[in-house]
Amino acid sequence: MGTLDSIQLVFQSIFASGLVLASLYVLMAAGLALVWNTLGIFNFTHGALMAAAAYVAWTVADPRGLALGLAVGVVAAILVAALLGFIINYLLVAPFLGQKQIVLIAVMTTLSGAFFIENSALLLWGPRIKQLDKFVEGNVRIAGTTISGHEAIIILLAPLLMLGLWAFLRFTWTGSAIRAVAQNRDFAELSGVRVQRMYAIAFAIAAALAGLAGIMLGAIRFITPGLGGEPLLKALIVVILGGLGSMPGTVLGAYLVGFGEATSTYFLGAYWTQAVLFLVFIGFLVLRPNGLFGKQ
Amino acid sequence: METKLRTAAIVAFFAILVALPLVNGDSYVRHISIIAIMYAVLVSSWNISLGYGGVFNFAHMAFFAVGAYATGILTKTFGFSPWFGMPIGIAASVAASILVCLPVLRLKGIYVILVTFAFGQLCLQIVLNQRELTGGNFGLVQIPPLEIGTFSFRDHQNIGYYYLALAILGLTVAVVSWFARSRFGWRVVALRDNEPYAVSRGVPLSRTRLLTFALSAVFPGAIGAVYAQYVRSASPDMFGFSFLTLALSMLLLGGTGTVWGPIAGAFVFTILSEVMAPLGPGRYLVTAVLIVLILRFFPKGLAGIPQFVAQLMRGSRTGQLYPTESA
Amino acid sequence: MTDILAVQGISKSFGALKAIRNLSFSLKSNEVLGIAGPNGSGKSTLFNILTKVPFGPDEGEIRVAGESVSGLGPRQIVERGLVRSFQTETDFETLSVIENVLVSMPDSDFRSGKAASRQRAREFLDYVGLAAQQDRPASEITVYDRKKLMIATALACRPKVLLLDEPAAGLSRPEVSEMIELIKRINLGGISVIVIEHIISLLVSVSNRLIVLNFGELLAEGTPQDVIRDPRVIEAYLGPAAAHE
Ligand SMILES: Nc1ncnc2c1ncn2[C@@H]1O[C@H](COP(=O)(O)OP(=O)(O)O)[C@@H](O)[C@H]1O
Ligand SMILES: [Mg+2]
C-alpha cells in the first residue's frame, strides 16, 4: 500500500511539472515551427523576441513604467513582437531568399539579429532584473498536486493557441495561402499568391507567438536580455524531435520533451537532465533526422 | 610579382608583431595584442573546416573551451605540470572534434549546424554539472601559470604569453598556407565544391572530413590551453552564443577560404571592438549590423578587397574566391 | 575476349517509379558500348548505380573484370577501374584546372614527388587539349572545356571502363567531331567505354555495339546500324506513328 501511494505521488508531481513544461514548450516552439514550415529557415531571433516582448509588457504594465495595467501590457507586447518579426523578415531574411545557401545564411543573419535585440534590451532596460506580475494569483490543484494559477493558464493556453493556429491555417484565406506557399512556392506564386507577403505575415505571426511565450515566461522567470536563450534551444529541440515540417509533430514533440524532462529531473536532477536532453537530441539528429513523425 | 608582394607582406606583418613589445611596453596594448593574436589563431583554424571545408561546424569555439577546461582541470586539480597544458589542450580538443565529426558525417546543411551547436551545449551542461571539477557557473579559477625557473610568463606585462601566442599564430599561418596548396587541401575543397563529383573521383569522404576536423581542432586546443594559463581561468561563457557570434563575424569580415582574410578579420575586429569599448553593449549592435551588411553586400569580406581592386584594374577577368597555385 | 564489365539483373526504384528493371548486359575488353534511349529511360540512373554515386542498385550484381563490386564503396569502385562522367558539366569550381586533375589522381601518382605529379596531371590535360588553361579557375573555362576537363579527371583515376554520360550534349558540330576523335583515342589507348548519347552520328561512329533503354528495360541490342533501324526503337523515340511510316 505504502509503496503504491508513494509511486502515485511521484507520478503526480512528475505529471504536473511535465504538463507545465510541455505547455511552455508548445508556446515557444509553435512560432519557430511556423517559420520553418513556411520559409524553410530557422529563426534564431525567436528567443530574443521573447525577451523583447517581456520587457515591453513590463514597461507598459508596471507601476515603475507606464502603469497601464497587465492587459494593455500584454496586447502592446504582442503587437510590438509582431512588428519586430515583420522588420526582421524584411531586413534579415527577405533580401537573402533565393540564395543557394539560404538556410545557412539565415542562421547567421538571425543570430546577429538576436545579438542586436538582446544588447538593445540591455541598453534600454539596463541590467536590473525585472519580473511581470502573474496573470492570476493563487493556486490550483490538478491531479493531486498544487500548481500556481499562472501555470494553469499556461496549460490551458497551449492547446487553445494551437487550435487557433490550426483553425487560422485551415479556414482563413491568408492561412490557406501560407500553407500553399509552404507546400509549393512556385505553384502558389503562379496561382496569384503574393509569396513575399505571406512570408512576412507568417513571420509576424510567429513573432507574436514568441512574444506571448515571452510574456508567460516573464511572470515565472526573471526578465533578462537572455530570457529567451534557453527556451530557443528547447524550441529547436522540440521542432526537430517532432519532425521538421509537421505542426502536430511539433505539439507531440513539446509534450514528449516536457514530460521526459520532468521525469528525468525527478530521477537524475536538473543538471544531468539538460545534458541527457542534448545527448538524446544529437542521437536523434543522427538516427532520425526527420524526427519522430516526419517523413523518412 | 604577386608572390613577392605577398611574401613581403607576410614578413612585414610578423616583423611588426615580433618588434611590438620592444617599442611598446604598455600593459593594455599588450593584453589587446595577445587577445587579437589568439582570435586570429581561432578564426583562421576555424576557416579550415568552415571556409575550405564548407562544413558548418559551430563547435569550433567549443573545442577552444574544451582545451581550456581540460588544461585547467588537469594542471590545477590533478597536478600535471603546466608544461603539459598545451599537449593536454590539443589532445582534448582533437578528441572532441572527432567525437562531433562522427554524427556530422551522416548529416547535411542545417542539421550540421544543429548537431555541432548541440555538442557545445552538451559540453556546457557537463561543465555546469561537474561543479567540483569545473567550478560550475563561476568558472574554473587559479589555473597554474607557465613558469621557467624564476621567470614567469606573466613578467614584463605577460611578454612570455605574447610570444607564445605569436609562435602559435606563426605555426597556424604556416599550416593553413601549406594546407591550401596540399593534396589534402584540394580534397577538402573538392568535397566542398561538389561532393558527389569528388567521391566519384576517389576522394575518401569520411577520412577527409575526420582529418579536416582533427586538423582544425589542434589550434583552438593549443590556444585554449595558453589562454587558460594566461588569464588563469576558464569560464562557461566560452561555450556561449556571444563568443561564437563574435568569432563568426571575424571570419565573415575577413572572408572565408583564404589564408589572410580571417587573420585580418580578427585583428581589425579586435581593434574595432576596443575603439568602440566606450559604447558598452552598443558595440555589439554595431557588430550585429556589420555581419548582416557584410553578408548582404560583401560576401567575400576583407579578402575580397584586393581581388576587387585587381578586377577593376585588369578589367574582364572574373573573380577567384579561393587561392590557387597561381596566386 | 573476356568481359571487363558484367551486369546481371540490376534494378532500382524511386518509390513507385521503377527506373531500372532487371537489366543485364556486358562489356568486352576494349569495346565501346553505346547506350541510347528517350529522356527519363534510366540511362543516367544506370551510371549512378554502377558507380554507387550517389546510390547502388536495389538488387542485381555488377562485376568488374570478374570481381563483384557489391560490397564495395564508391571509392573502391573507382579503384577497381569503373569511372564515370556526369551529364551536366561538373567541376571543382574554386580549384584551378590542373588542381581538378591533381585531386582526382590516385595515391601512387604522388609517391615520386610534387613535380612528377604535376607533370603527370599536365599530361592528362594535354591529352584532352587543356594544357594552356591549366592555371585558370575551373569556373572560368567554357562549357566545352569543362566537359573535356571532366573526362581528364576521369582518366586521371586510371579507368578500365570509362562511363560517359552525354559527353557531346550541347556542343557545336566541330566540337562533336572532336569529341568523337577523343573517345576513339581513349579507346585505342586500351580503355573500354560506355557512352550515353542522343547524337546518333556520335553513337554510330564510336560504338561497336549499341543498346537502347526504354522505361528502364533493355529494348534493343545489336550493331549501331541495325539498332537505329529497329522499328521498336523508332517507336520508343518518336511515338507509334513514326514507326509505321
Ligand atoms: N534521385 C532520384 N529520385 C527520384 N527519381 C529519380 C532520381 N533520379 C532519377 N529519377 C527518375 O528516374 C527516371 C530515370 O531518370 P534518368 O536516369 O535521369 O533518365 P535519363 O538519363 O535516361 O534521361 C526519371 O523518371 C527520373 O525522374
Ligand atoms: Mg540522363
Side-chain angles (χ1 to χ4, degrees):
Chain A
M1 247 354 243
T3 45
L4 219 64
D5 274 354
S6 63
I7 287 174
Q8 192 186 351
L9 225 64
V10 168
F11 182 75
Q12 283 167 347
S13 91
I14 290 177
F15 180 77
S17 61
L19 195 57
V20 173
L21 273 178
S23 308
L24 268 175
Y25 293 161
V26 170
L27 295 180
M28 294 167 186
L32 199 69
L34 179 63
V35 167
W36 173 266
N37 290 354
T38 316
L39 285 86
I41 62 158
F42 270 116
N43 170 22
F44 277 82
T45 61
H46 202 72
L49 284 168
M50 294 183 203
Y55 273 115
V56 171
W58 181 88
T59 299
V60 175
D62 200 84
R64 279 162 290 177
L66 302 176
L68 295 174
L70 193 55
V72 182
V74 169
V75 174
I78 291 178
L79 288 177
V80 168
L83 181 68
L84 281 176
F86 191 82
I87 296 172
I88 289 166
N89 177 57
Y90 184 74
L91 292 178
L92 303 183
V93 180
F96 301 96
L97 283 175
Q99 288 191 22
K100 205 171 86 186
Q101 301 272 43
I102 174 65
V103 178
L104 311 169
I105 291 172
V107 171
M108 294 192 260
T109 57
T110 57
L111 259 181
S112 309
F115 207 49
F116 188 91
I117 295 173
E118 282 171 13
N119 284 292
S120 302
L122 193 59
L123 276 174
L124 290 172
W125 281 282
R128 283 265 300 277
I129 286 169
K130 303 176 171 52
Q131 193 163 34
L132 281 170
D133 287 338
K134 305 245 183 318
F135 282 34
V136 289
E137 290 304 326
N139 294 324
V140 182
R141 282 186 69 80
I142 56 155
T145 35
T146 309
I147 58 169
S148 72
H150 186 83
E151 288 172 332
I153 289 186
I154 293 176
I155 291 174
L156 288 178
L157 198 58
L160 282 180
L161 205 79
M162 289 314 284
L163 217 63
L165 188 59
W166 175 76
F168 165 75
L169 290 174
R170 192 92 187 70
F171 298 118
T172 66
W173 186 87
T174 312
S176 312
I178 289 177
R179 279 192 305 139
V181 171
Q183 264 163 27
N184 189 332
R185 188 201 146 125
D186 296 334
F187 188 75
E189 200 156 24
L190 284 176
S191 341
V193 174
R194 309 228 325 243
V195 172
Q196 290 296 341
R197 192 181 200 165
M198 292 308 133
Y199 282 168
I201 293 173
F203 220 104
I205 293 173
L209 288 170
L212 187 64
I215 296 164
M216 300 317 284
L217 271 179
I220 50 177
R221 296 183 191 170
F222 294 115
I223 305 176
T224 64
L227 172 74
E230 182 251 37
L232 169 68
L233 290 176
K234 290 292 166 58
L236 275 174
I237 294 177
V238 163
V239 173
I240 297 280
L241 280 185
L244 290 173
S246 140
M247 270 308 200
T250 302
V251 176
L252 275 166
Y255 283 95
L256 212 72
V257 174
F259 284 110
E261 205 178 329
T263 312
S264 161
T265 305
Y266 188 91
F267 292 107
L268 299 176
Y271 277 121
W272 275 123
T273 296
Q274 300 308 314
V276 168
L277 195 62
F278 280 106
L279 208 59
V280 170
F281 178 57
I282 292 174
F284 237 93
L285 281 172
V286 175
L287 299 177
R288 277 190 76 94
N290 293 321
L292 271 181
F293 312 102
K295 314 164 221 49
Q296 274 293 330
Chain B
M1 170 66 191
E2 269 179 77
T3 327
K4 261 189 200 157
L5 251 170
R6 222 181 132 93
T7 320
I10 296 171
V11 171
F13 174 77
F14 277 104
I16 290 171
L17 285 179
V18 170
L20 185 64
L22 308 177
V23 294
N24 186 315
D26 183 55
S27 66
Y28 171 74
V29 171
R30 183 70 41 79
H31 176 68
I32 299 308
S33 328
I34 294 175
I35 294 299
I37 291 171
M38 289 185 166
Y39 266 124
V41 172
L42 288 176
V43 176
S44 60
S45 56
W46 195 4
N47 191 24
I48 294 176
S49 60
L50 190 108
Y52 290 99
V55 180
F56 279 71
N57 162 26
F58 273 42
H60 196 75
M61 295 300 129
F63 300 157
F64 165 72
V66 165
Y69 268 102
T71 299
I73 292 168
L74 286 182
T75 59
K76 179 190 169 187
T77 315
F78 293 95
F80 281 76
S81 150
W83 287 103
F84 282 115
M86 215 191 293
I88 291 168
I90 293 173
S93 169
V94 169
S97 76
I98 288 172
L99 218 58
V100 77
C101 191
L102 292 175
V104 165
L105 289 178
R106 305 194 36 165
L107 300 170
K108 290 223 156 33
I110 185 81
Y111 294 107
V112 173
I113 295 187
L114 292 174
V115 86
T116 50
F117 187 72
F119 176 80
Q121 293 304 304
L122 178 64
C123 294
L124 172 63
Q125 293 304 331
I126 292 171
V127 163
L128 293 178
N129 207 341
Q130 298 296 313
R131 230 165 314 166
E132 290 82 45
L133 274 180
T134 62
N137 258 317
F138 301 104
L140 183 65
V141 292
Q142 290 180 327
I143 294 172
L146 282 174
E147 280 156 358
I148 305 178
T150 58
F151 171 76
S152 165
F153 273 53
R154 315 194 61 163
D155 294 347
H156 308 288
Q157 281 82 36
N158 294 304
I159 197 153
Y161 289 113
Y162 178 88
Y163 280 115
L164 183 55
L166 188 57
I168 297 176
L169 178 62
L171 197 69
T172 312
V173 171
V175 170
V176 177
S177 310
W178 162 81
F179 168 83
R181 288 144 185 278
S182 70
R183 182 172 180 227
F184 175 51
W186 297 329
R187 288 180 154 184
V188 171
V189 171
L191 282 172
R192 174 194 68 191
D193 280 357
N194 192 325
E195 195 177 295
Y197 183 36
V199 170
S200 81
R201 291 299 175 262
V203 174
L205 176 65
S206 304
R207 198 204 311 164
T208 308
R209 281 273 146 79
L210 275 166
L211 282 174
T212 311
F213 265 65
L215 176 68
S216 80
V218 167
F219 305 95
I223 279 295
V226 177
Y227 178 81
Q229 293 172 330
Y230 167 52
V231 300
R232 302 198 57 195
S233 66
S235 106
D237 291 341
M238 294 159 91
F239 291 101
F241 255 128
S242 312
F243 183 47
L244 188 73
T245 312
L246 210 67
L248 186 63
S249 47
M250 290 176 182
L251 188 51
L252 294 177
L253 175 71
T256 53
T258 65
V259 178
W260 286 95
I263 290 167
F267 275 87
V268 169
F269 214 100
T270 311
I271 293 166
L272 213 63
S273 292
E274 286 313 312
V275 173
M276 294 191 299
L279 296 177
R283 64 183 151 154
Y284 298 122
L285 303 190
V286 180
T287 307
V289 172
L290 206 64
I291 298 181
V292 176
L293 288 179
I294 294 167
L295 283 170
R296 180 95 176 81
F297 300 107
F298 305 99
K300 290 176 192 174
L302 290 176
I305 292 176
Q307 180 207 326
F308 180 71
V309 173
Q311 219 172 312
L312 284 184
M313 285 172 12
R314 265 183 241 153
S316 70
R317 226 188 108 139
T318 52
Q320 166 192 339
L321 183 48
Y322 304 93
T324 56
E325 289 274 312
S326 62
Chain C
M1 269 207 286
T2 54
D3 287 346
I4 186 80
L5 178 71
V7 174
Q8 188 59 49
I10 54 168
S11 300
K12 176 78 198 174
S13 306
F14 302 110
L17 176 80
K18 292 201 162 109
I20 296 286
R21 313 172 192 215
N22 192 22
L23 185 67
S24 305
F25 66 90
S26 62
L27 178 74
K28 296 188 175 54
S29 248
N30 280 321
E31 190 182 22
V32 178
L33 174 67
I35 298 184
N39 276 324
S41 57
K43 306 181 297 296
S44 296
T45 303
L46 173 64
F47 279 9
N48 290 344
I49 60 186
L50 287 179
T51 55
K52 293 201 182 153
V53 178
F55 39 68
D58 295 337
E59 54 194 79
E61 195 174 54
I62 297 157
R63 289 175 173 276
V64 179
E67 188 195 356
S68 169
V69 299
S70 302
L72 303 182
R75 174 176 154 76
Q76 291 150 319
I77 291 177
V78 172
E79 281 166 359
R80 296 297 183 280
L82 198 54
V83 184
R84 69 175 298 183
S85 73
F86 292 83
Q87 184 171 342
T88 46
E89 314 75 66
T90 306
D91 55 25
F92 305 119
E93 58 196 13
T94 56
L95 292 178
S96 67
V97 167
I98 193 166
E99 285 164 353
N100 269 260
V101 176
L102 280 162
V103 79
S104 308
M105 292 177 358
D107 296 347
S108 53
D109 281 339
F110 292 85
R111 300 230 170 87
S112 35
K114 211 173 161 171
S117 57
R118 284 190 86 81
Q119 181 51 39
R120 203 88 192 74
R122 225 170 277 126
E123 286 165 19
F124 286 113
L125 288 177
D126 219 20
Y127 192 79
V128 299
L130 283 178
Q133 319 261 29
Q134 64 167 14
D135 288 327
R136 298 182 68 187
S139 58
E140 282 184 17
I141 62 177
T142 65
V143 169
Y144 177 46
D145 286 347
R146 260 185 260 179
K147 282 191 187 277
K148 290 195 295 187
L149 178 57
M150 188 160 48
I151 293 175
T153 62
L155 293 174
C157 296
R158 310 305 144 81
K160 293 196 185 89
V161 180
L162 180 64
L163 310 173
L164 297 172
D165 195 348
E166 303 197 16
L171 298 187
S172 70
R173 244 157 206 275
E175 286 166 352
V176 172
S177 317
E178 280 179 38
M179 186 59 77
I180 290 172
E181 290 315 308
L182 179 59
I183 295 172
K184 283 181 175 166
R185 191 144 47 91
I186 289 169
N187 181 237
L188 278 178
I191 296 172
S192 315
V193 178
I194 302 182
V195 54
I196 294 173
E197 194 46 83
H198 286 299
I199 301 173
I200 301 293
S201 65
L202 183 142
L203 286 177
V204 172
S205 39
V206 301
S207 329
N208 307 116
R209 193 155 53 97
L210 186 59
I211 63 178
V212 179
L213 291 188
N214 196 25
F215 296 113
E217 285 175 318
L218 195 68
L219 181 71
E221 180 175 1
T223 65
Q225 287 76 11
D226 291 346
V227 168
I228 58 172
R229 292 197 194 93
D230 188 328
R232 289 172 306 163
V233 173
I234 298 170
E235 180 177 329
Y237 262 100
L238 303 173
H244 300 291
E245 268 172 28

